[in-house]
Amino acid sequence: MELISHFIDGKLYSDKNCRKGKVFNPATGEQIADVELASKDIVKMAVKNSLQAFDKWSKTTPITRARIFSKYKDLLVKNMNELAELVSKQHGKTIPDAKGSIQRGIEVVEYVTGITSSLKGEHSSNVGTNVDSHTLRQPLGVCAGITPFNFPAMVPMWMFPVAIACGNTFVLKPSEKDPSCPLKLAELAIEAGFPPGVLNCVNGDKESVDALLEDKDVQAISFVGSTPIAEYVYHTGTKNNKRIQALGGAKNHMVIMPDADVEKTTDAIIGSAFGSAGERCMAISVAVCVGKETNNKIKKSLLEKTSKLNVGPYTDEKTDFGPLSSEAHYKKVLGYIDSGEKEGAKLLTDGRNFKKQGYENGYFVGPTIFDEVKPEMKIYKEEIFGPVLSMMTTKKYEDALKLVNDHELGNGAAVFTKSGNIAKHFTENAKIGMIGVNVPIPVPVAYHSFGGWKRSLFGDHSIHGPDGVRFYTKLKTATITWNEDNAGPEFTIPVLS
Ligand code: NAD
């Protein structure tokens, strides 16, 4: 059985005595590897190693760092097939979907090849007579990233390229469910020319997360995962005086106006609700139709299209979406469907008994659609993170917007309409971090920043893009004069003129 270990000080590091987790192929339900779960001591060692690397790395020039990232980008492109295979085999998503997510990660690497511009400070000449002022953005030290199972390549690449390009060193703690791709990302970083310790990768679970949260040498932590753990990481980390950005779960609504194009809208719903088996934090999980007639048209088209979807393993090129990532998650999603049925939502398609011939032990759930979902139902209040779409109907646009705004999660939301007025109103008034107008999955590109509102993000900074640079740097302001006159001590607060 393959044993997946850690990557510390530029090489694989294994501790045969440590606890182990199991890694599965979700399409077959077979265990394919063991993963070492780092003890507190191993995490401490990785952090110390990154701390040793920090001094020299932080003194490299931004252009030197940018050039290494250029090489890193080329290596990621060259290794795309292998990286995608690692993602798909352990997560279950299709190869084209895995490649798309790796590409979105590569775009962050491309963004930081221009880090020289992002790190430029501001300069003001003559803030007083012969006095100038300028700002510097300086690195924090050792930063850490804790990432979820659903994007084992993209989400780590939302974090470490920006942190490292800003002059920090980084310890990545990926999900223990699909750890091979993040480990490969760390190996490629050495091949690109990053010095050992600049990017370390420790595999593990709660014990390693807690070790990072408690380690006094870790200055900042980026977390992406479920809302309860994001909240825990935020409160524990800030209590330990760390800078924390903690991105949590989502319940993304699509508001469908009566004037929306039915075919385009239902194609958008199908791709965003069922793509990657619904295991995306920007998946549309609630379709809110404005008016009964809109609901009828959307429902009819959705049911026709859903019946033609291919659910299967990533190895089959015809597969539209694959299995859920683990047995525990599979059971959880089935439990939500049971609960929706019990609470009185109308089950239009039921994915619970879906079986794929030859893959009977895989964690497959077919596309599932509920209609007549009510705000008090568990399937509406909670994130399901599976191929399950809830449909709701409101009389007016204002009622649909209220649903969006009253939900405790605020990651993404979309409106489908031909009306510029509705689009503008929705964009300005939805209490949501990322808005799509006729775009179902409005994931900001690398040079913008990604982040939700309400209980979808704890902390003050979104991830990657300009907010990422702010998160991973400290601001310093210098006031400078070369004036040789000496006016003697000044006892009042200086007012420059
Ligand atoms: P998770 O919260 O279970 O795990 C995330 C990370 O936290 C993992 O590295 C895991 O090892 C660690 N962890 C798990 N339990 C812990 C505990 N008790 N204490 C400390 N650490 C713990 O999330 P997941 O199931 O891996 O990922 C799915 C979730 O991530 C969904 O809720 C999804 O919406 C969310 N997500 C959010 C975004 C976003 O940008 N907002 C992006 C991707 C995924």
Side-chain angles (χ1 to χ4, degrees):
M1 182 78 61
E2 185 195 355
L3 178 64
I4 301 162
S5 56
H6 318 286
F7 194 84
I8 301 171
D9 196 26
K11 48 194 177 298
L12 290 171
Y13 178 89
S14 175
D15 174 7
K16 299 280 178 296
N17 298 322
C18 77
R19 292 182 299 122
K20 290 184 186 61
K22 292 178 180 175
V23 179
F24 292 88
N25 174 344
T28 60
E30 277 168 336
Q31 188 191 347
I32 50 175
D34 284 314
V35 57
E36 292 189 8
L37 303 173
S39 62
K40 290 203 164 173
D41 288 344
I42 291 178
V43 173
K44 201 154 205 45
M45 187 177 82
V47 171
K48 276 267 169 293
N49 181 258
S50 286
L51 185 62
Q52 278 160 10
F54 173 70
D55 194 38
K56 203 163 166 206
W57 181 248
S58 61
K59 293 192 172 72
T60 55
T61 57
I63 191 72
T64 304
R65 296 178 219 144
R67 286 184 184 134
I68 304 178
F69 271 110
S70 271
K71 286 197 198 136
Y72 189 54
K73 186 219 140 183
D74 292 345
L75 280 172
L76 292 169
V77 172
K78 195 167 136 203
N79 286 272
M80 175 67 97
N81 289 341
E82 186 185 342
L83 291 168
E85 173 73 23
L86 292 175
V87 169
S88 294
K89 191 168 182 181
Q90 294 179 359
H91 176 275
K93 65 178 79 184
T94 65
I95 292 281
D97 192 27
K99 285 188 175 171
S101 69
I102 295 165
Q103 179 56 33
R104 293 305 294 257
I106 290 175
E107 287 167 12
V108 180
V109 175
E110 283 173 328
Y111 169 68
V112 304
T113 60
I115 198 70
T116 44
S117 302
S118 305
L119 291 178
K120 272 197 305 197
E122 294 175 322
H123 180 93
S124 300
S125 295
N126 297 321
V127 292
T129 307
N130 286 331
V131 183
D132 295 344
S133 209
H134 73 269
T135 60
L136 297 83
R137 286 217 155 261
Q138 296 193 314
L140 308 175
V142 180
C143 301
I146 300 160
T147 55
F149 74 80
N150 66 324
F151 284 113
M154 180 179 82
V155 172
M157 284 197 277
W158 282 354
M159 303 173 178
F160 71 78
V162 184
I164 291 173
C166 289
N168 302 284
T169 53
F170 201 88
V171 178
L172 173 66
K173 203 303 285 173
S175 170
E176 64 276 36
K177 296 191 183 117
D178 41 17
S180 287
C181 184
L183 214 57
K184 181 77 190 169
L185 295 177
E187 285 183 54
L188 290 176
I190 287 291
E191 205 178 322
F194 291 101
V198 168
L199 176 60
N200 284 330
C201 179
V202 285
N203 282 307
D205 54 7
K206 179 171 169 49
E207 183 174 343
S208 48
V209 171
D210 286 340
L212 289 169
L213 287 168
E214 286 158 16
D215 197 312
K216 67 174 179 32
D217 291 326
V218 173
Q219 303 301 324
I221 297 182
S222 299
F223 172 90
V224 176
S226 59
T227 288
I229 312 295
E231 191 168 24
Y232 166 75
V233 166
Y234 178 75
H235 289 300
T236 314
T238 49
K239 203 175 77 203
N240 291 336
N241 299 323
K242 298 184 194 316
R243 192 178 281 197
I244 305 284
Q245 56 178 184
L247 283 71
K251 195 80 180 175
N252 305 316
H253 296 59
M254 179 194 283
V255 173
I256 305 154
M257 296 302 294
D259 64 356
D261 180 283
V262 172
E263 294 311 313
K264 274 192 195 157
T265 305
T266 51
D267 281 346
I269 296 175
I270 296 271
S272 61
F274 302 133
S276 200
E279 289 176 329
R280 290 186 187 134
C281 64
M282 289 295 275
I284 291 293
S285 48
V286 185
V288 188
C289 301
V290 176
K292 194 70 205 142
E293 207 184 314
T294 312
N295 174 281
N296 286 337
K297 283 190 289 192
I298 295 291
K299 212 160 48 186
K300 184 165 173 281
S301 169
L302 270 183
L303 290 178
E304 272 167 29
K305 289 177 183 176
T306 303
S307 66
K308 294 184 192 130
L309 292 179
N310 281 314
V311 183
Y314 78 94
T315 42
D316 181 348
E317 281 180 9
K318 289 198 280 308
T319 293
D320 292 311
F321 71 86
L324 291 164
S325 61
S326 68
E327 188 180 15
H329 190 50
Y330 168 77
K331 288 185 175 156
K332 193 172 159 192
V333 171
L334 294 187
Y336 274 115
I337 304 176
D338 293 345
S339 134
E341 200 177 31
K342 274 199 207 101
E343 286 190 290
K346 193 168 169 192
L347 197 48
L348 302 180
T349 60
D350 183 355
R352 280 176 296 191
N353 296 320
F354 179 88
K355 284 276 171 251
K356 183 80 187 167
Q357 210 186 350
Y359 294 86
E360 285 77 8
N361 294 325
Y363 313 133
F364 293 98
V365 175
T368 301
I369 304 178
F370 279 109
D371 194 16
E372 297 174 24
V373 172
K374 301 282 176 276
E376 59 279 7
M377 292 178 182
K378 190 173 162 193
I379 53 165
Y380 178 72
K381 288 196 286 204
E382 296 180 16
E383 179 185 45
I384 300 175
F385 221 53
V388 182
L389 177 73
S390 293
M391 295 188 69
M392 304 172 90
T393 305
T394 59
K395 282 199 179 120
K396 297 185 305 227
Y397 159 74
E398 288 74 14
D399 301 332
L401 179 64
K402 186 168 175 351
L403 275 175
V404 171
N405 286 346
D406 286 351
H407 203 284
E408 67 169 22
L409 298 171
N411 217 38
V415 63
F416 272 59
T417 182
K418 292 196 179 87
S419 158
N421 284 337
I422 290 286
K424 182 172 163 58
H425 190 274
F426 189 78
T427 304
E428 289 182 2
N429 292 287
K431 292 178 184 155
I432 296 291
M434 293 168 284
I435 301 287
V437 173
N438 300 321
V439 172
I441 309 184
V443 176
V445 291
Y447 46 97
H448 285 259
S449 300
F450 181 110
W453 284 15
K454 299 185 274 186
R455 289 174 60 73
S456 291
L457 191 155
F458 300 87
D460 302 319
H461 291 94
S462 292
I463 216 160
H464 69 63
D467 237 15
V469 174
R470 280 177 215 119
F471 181 74
Y472 291 122
T473 53
K474 280 180 294 203
L475 183 71
K476 187 180 272 182
T477 308
T479 306
I480 300 170
T481 184
W482 299 102
N483 211 342
E484 289 183 358
D485 299 344
N486 184 0
E490 230 185 291
F491 294 100
T492 55
I493 188 159
V495 178
L496 299 176
S497 56

